[in-house]
Amino acid sequence: MTDQAHGTESEIPGKPTSASRTTLSHIMTHNDTNLLGTVHGGVIMKLVDDAAGAVAGRHSGGPAVTASMDEMVFLEPVRVGDLVHVRAQVNWTGRSSMEVGVRVMAERWNESTPAQQVGSAYLVFAAVDGDGRPRPVPPVIPETERDRRRYQEAQIRRTHRLARRRAIKELREKRIADGIDVD
């Protein structure tokens, strides 16, 4: 069967975006605070990684490890007592990698006001086998216009990640060739 998204032969049937989408909710306590009295960014980042990892594992049907985190953006502070909802979905898939988009929402635990977006991130996961080697993942099948937009944007981010990695490698190789130390 031809994988329409990648233009390659694929024996793994695709999965719709909704098949692995998930929300992780957590109430923030004093144990989560930084020196300013708001929730520490690292706590939010761990929740983001946990939710994204669950989505990547669900989509790929097995273990997946975090390869990179792009564009972690904090829009508003999170406070003690906030109920944080971390919503994640697979935006794009390659042969063994997946981009997972995450939106972080927060609402006061004791108020009926709507949740507000407080952060977002994009993570890349690699599906691995029992020996830690890359394994193939099912193609993601975008279901809505929003999913198709996210898929296209993910392809742009992937192109930029690869170009940045290549440019840095070339710069380092040039510096080494020129006898300049690059630790």
Side-chain angles (χ1 to χ4, degrees):
M1 143 174 55
T2 298
D3 173 353
Q4 299 294 333
H6 304 105
T8 60
E9 292 293 316
S10 172
E11 298 176 15
I12 303 172
K15 286 186 176 180
T17 307
S18 61
S20 58
R21 188 178 290 140
T22 193
T23 300
L24 171 69
S25 297
H26 188 79
I27 194 156
M28 298 291 107
T29 69
H30 288 286
N31 292 334
D32 302 316
T33 60
N34 59 27
L35 296 175
L36 299 175
T38 56
V39 173
H40 195 288
V43 170
I44 301 299
M45 290 174 74
K46 179 166 185 343
L47 293 173
V48 164
D49 191 43
D50 287 346
V55 166
R58 275 182 169 181
H59 183 83
S60 68
V65 296
T66 311
S68 69
M69 178 183 274
D70 287 354
E71 300 181 34
M72 180 72 215
V73 177
F74 298 99
L75 302 170
E76 297 288 336
V78 177
R79 300 170 290 166
V80 169
D82 282 354
L83 181 57
V84 173
H85 308 285
V86 183
R87 299 180 180 147
Q89 75 171 48
V90 173
N91 290 336
W92 175 89
T93 54
R95 284 186 309 276
S96 62
S97 63
M98 302 157 274
E99 183 195 89
V100 178
V102 181
R103 176 173 287 179
V104 183
M105 309 292 289
E107 62 181 304
R108 297 302 296 165
W109 68 274
N110 60 348
E111 297 175 7
S112 60
T113 56
Q116 160 182 12
Q117 184 175 353
V118 295
S120 65
Y122 299 102
L123 296 87
V124 176
F125 279 79
V128 294
D129 63 18
D131 295 321
R133 289 189 294 265
R135 62 181 175 81
V137 299
V140 67
I141 303 169
E143 298 174 279
T144 66
E145 276 308 311
R146 179 179 282 175
D147 292 341
R148 283 185 275 284
R149 175 185 53 80
R150 288 178 176 162
Y151 185 92
Q152 291 171 328
E153 290 172 356
Q155 288 177 305
I156 293 167
R157 282 187 292 275
R158 180 175 190 275
T159 299
H160 288 183
R161 273 192 299 273
L162 294 175
R164 181 178 62 233
R165 187 178 307 148
R166 191 170 37 254
I168 290 170
K169 181 180 177 192
E170 289 170 3
L171 175 64
R172 288 181 178 172
E173 289 171 352
K174 182 181 179 333
R175 291 178 62 85
I176 289 170
D178 292 343
I180 303 170
D181 189 23
V182 289
D183 280 339

